Amino acid sequence: MTAPVQRVPAIEARDIRRTYKARPRDVVALDGVDLDVAAGEFFGLLGPNGAGKTTLIKILTTLLAPSSGTARVFGFDIEGDTRKIRRIMNMVAGGEQSGYGILTVREQLWMFSQFYGMPGAVGWRRVDELIEAVGLEEQRLQRVNSLSTGQRQKMNFARGLLNDPWILFLDEPTLGLDVSAARSVRELVLAWQAAVSGRTVLLTTHYMAEADELCERIAIVDHGRILAIGSPTDLKRRVQRESVFRLELDRLDGGPARLFRLPGVVSAVLASADGHEGTEDARQTVAVNLVLTDDGALGEVVAALAPLGSHIVALAKSEPTLEDVFVELVGRGFEDEAEAPPPDDGLTPAVPQGAHEAGEPELEDVV
Amino acid sequence: MADPAFSRAGPGRRLRPELFVGQADASPQAAADWSRRRILLTDLRAVRGRAYPRITGLFREKSWLFFEILLPFLTTSAFVFVYRALQAPPEYIGFVVLGGAMTAFWLNVVWMMAAQLYWEKDQGNLELYFAAPMNLMSVLLGMALGGMVMSSTRAVAVLVVASLLYGVSFEVDQWLLLLAVFGLTLAALYGLGMILASLFLMWGREAWHTTQLMVEPVYFVSGLNFPVARLGFIGALAVATIPLAVGLDAMRQLAFAGSQVSLLPPLAEAGILVAMTVLFTLAARWSLRTLERRARIEGRLTMRWQ
């Protein structure tokens, strides 16, 4: 007897390893990854370039076989049930240039709808709905090769929804987009997941703020290993051994030293209006960065302000970022390591030099 | 503090999330459970989908008509003038016009079938094809079908213009057999193109060199501009292995009744074409499966950077 449908996790991966043949030595892209993602969850894989995020997505989308280990998507084995998995999933990657530039947005999406077996008329109708949903009505009859990067990514996102996927794999979906376009894509993802219940999203990103804002849970990945899994709040709490507050007062006679002597206060220093250490700001208030042993010490500080004649103008708790978590786990930041080069198997195809000069068609024109 | 650029409620256009809702199944398990009929229909629709850009492109990119009609026509014309200068039998003019028309299909097979998966990989389409639930043979069939339509237009244009211009008179006794041989020639030719598509992808960058290497020798041994029977043993070998050679030889016999320059009777050559079609289709299926298996195991072939 099979388990009830709602109990089947979206992803179960056990001890996944993946090695690429390369010179001078093989590249270990994944080194024993265990992962569980619940149905309906918005899950993120956060890590620097070359961490193994994309390799894991390729394995889960059945495009790549693991060197060892097992994985299931909604209970379907990635090795034996590839067709079933492909029926219920879809994927969108950042910087994707898929399709044919000669087609219009509408035609391109319809073409992809056919690959998922939609009847012709149903496909056109669904395409029109999704074009409207992602806000490309004005571009619907525009050729794909004339779209901006942001418009193109919206179209790619619409393509990813054509088959109403139960699990959507987003591989760096906002890569290369400007702030506004990236925000639009994120809004679309959230709107889609809110509109269709029970759908799962697996997002890879190296943008910490993106992972923080979108994901219910995050796995921090580096060098093919998952270093930590949890909600953004939980992960940040791991590195938050002390409570940090920014306290803004109308006055503070005697300076922050008056607060430093209070029980539970680790440090108290003047902060500038923009958060950096400094002096009184232009509004004639005093901002103090307070580091406390725990949140409970805040009461003592507040109680001590009245006898000093100080009134609180603003109080905010400073949270650690996911970057702090990554640094804590790895001992370095995202930018400290260059992107791992792709394996060189000597077989990487390339457009021959001079092909375009010789009158060969541009890639997007090849149909 | 969260970056304001990552705000969930941005100032953007008001979304209509209800439009995202499609025809959802009750569960992922139900969504993955397809009947045989649905699988078959999906494969057929995928053929239609992949053929679509090629057929649409036919009407959208007029420059292709110039390059693929005028230039082959000039080559054909050159041979016509040579045969006239040599006072060759009149059916030779017809032979070269027919060969000129069929050139469109061979060029299409080489550049838009054999090299196509290689292009698709560079564009990022290949992994989307692999990730879709259809049979990959549907993609190749769609490419072939679209290619046939594209090339047929060019072939017909060359045939009609050259025939009118050079006064070619066809003598057809067996129209049905001629059409059948034409259809079989295309089936075998595009079957060969489907095999090459997988093989070229596996060979990587050598594909280009191989493509260029194949064009002229196949032109020659296929007898596009002369009767292949004149090549003797090499001609016979070509008839046994190259669909274009055997197809052209049969079509010339059927289009110019009474022509004595041939290797085998048309029916026998039709039989060879049937065998080639079956063999090439099965081989294409096998090579595509091998390609997919190797792609998954080796971690290359489908992905742009690998």
Side-chain angles (χ1 to χ4, degrees), chain A residues 247-251 283 285 311-315:
Chain A
L247 181 62
E248 201 172 325
L249 305 167
D250 60 346
R251 55 182 284 190
R283 290 177 296 162
T285 60
H311 297 97
I312 296 173
V313 177
L315 176 65

Side-chain angles (χ1 to χ4, degrees), chain B residues 56-266:
Chain B
T56 304
L58 181 66
F59 303 103
R60 210 158 280 179
E61 288 291 338
K62 303 287 192 302
S63 62
W64 295 4
L65 300 174
F66 173 81
F67 285 112
E68 294 184 36
I69 291 177
L70 185 68
L71 298 186
F73 177 75
L74 291 178
T75 309
T76 302
S77 299
F79 278 93
V80 168
F81 288 118
V82 169
Y83 285 136
R84 279 183 177 172
L86 294 173
Q87 296 183 322
E91 66 261 31
Y92 272 62
I93 309 296
F95 288 174
V96 78
V97 167
L98 199 56
M102 293 303 286
T103 304
F105 294 105
W106 172 241
L107 286 177
N108 190 258
V109 164
V110 168
W111 291 112
M112 299 191 75
M113 283 296 295
Q116 187 68 29
L117 290 185
Y118 172 83
W119 288 113
E120 302 281 15
K121 176 185 170 179
D122 253 18
Q123 280 177 277
N125 289 332
L126 197 57
E127 66 179 3
L128 293 179
Y129 292 160
F130 273 74
M134 74 215 162
N135 189 321
L136 281 172
M137 277 296 281
S138 303
V139 171
L140 288 179
L141 284 171
M143 276 161 43
L145 197 66
M148 283 181 206
V149 174
M150 280 172 90
S151 303
S152 293
T153 315
R154 290 146 209 201
V156 167
V158 170
L159 196 65
V160 170
V161 173
S163 298
L164 291 174
L165 206 61
Y166 301 123
V168 177
S169 54
F170 296 92
E171 291 176 44
V172 184
D173 290 339
Q174 302 176 76
W175 274 103
L176 278 180
L177 186 57
L178 176 60
L179 288 174
V181 166
F182 173 70
L184 284 169
T185 305
L186 292 195
L189 196 57
Y190 281 87
L192 179 65
M194 289 196 281
I195 300 172
L196 294 177
S198 300
L199 295 181
F200 277 27
L201 190 62
M202 284 191 263
W203 291 339
R205 61 170 69 109
E206 296 306 318
W208 274 96
H209 307 303
T210 315
T211 301
Q212 286 166 335
L213 196 69
M214 285 177 64
V215 172
E216 291 302 328
V218 171
Y219 269 172
F220 177 67
V221 298
S222 296
L224 282 167
N225 298 310
F226 58 87
V228 75
R230 293 291 182 216
L231 286 176
F233 175 73
I234 295 175
L237 203 63
V239 161
T241 52
I242 302 174
L244 199 54
V246 62
L248 254 180
D249 197 55
M251 280 190 283
R252 280 169 174 160
Q253 292 180 65
L254 293 164
F256 304 97
S259 166
Q260 300 299 311
V261 198
S262 60
L263 278 168
L264 292 168

Side-chain angles (χ1 to χ4, degrees), chain A residues 109-121:
Chain A
L109 290 173
W110 181 82
M111 179 190 75
F112 278 105
S113 79
Q114 298 306 285
F115 300 154
Y116 290 87
M118 290 184 149

Side-chain angles (χ1 to χ4, degrees), chain A residues 99-100 126 132 213 350 363, chain B residues 8 16 20 118-119 125 129:
Chain A
Y100 305 99
R126 182 75 183 128
E132 190 178 344
E213 287 292 321
L363 269 185
Chain B
R8 283 171 182 252
R16 291 188 56 200
F20 285 126
Y118 172 83
W119 288 113
N125 289 332
Y129 292 160

Side-chain angles (χ1 to χ4, degrees), chain A residues 62 65-66 71-72 75-85, chain B residues 296:
Chain A
T62 75
R72 290 180 171 275
F76 298 121
D77 181 56
I78 55 159
E79 301 272 22
D81 300 318
T82 53
R83 281 284 162 80
K84 290 190 173 178
I85 293 173
Chain B
R296 294 190 72 233

Side-chain angles (χ1 to χ4, degrees), chain A residues 45-54 172 204-208 219-225 227 326 330 332-340:
Chain A
L45 293 171
L46 177 65
N49 293 327
K53 309 181 299 289
T54 297
E172 305 272 8
T204 75
T205 184
H206 65 274
Y207 298 132
M208 311 221 188
I220 294 181
V221 189
D222 188 47
H223 287 143
R225 292 176 173 224
L227 305 177
F326 187 81
V330 181
R332 60 174 167 78
F334 268 26
E335 294 77 22
D336 297 344
E337 184 164 302
E339 182 177 355

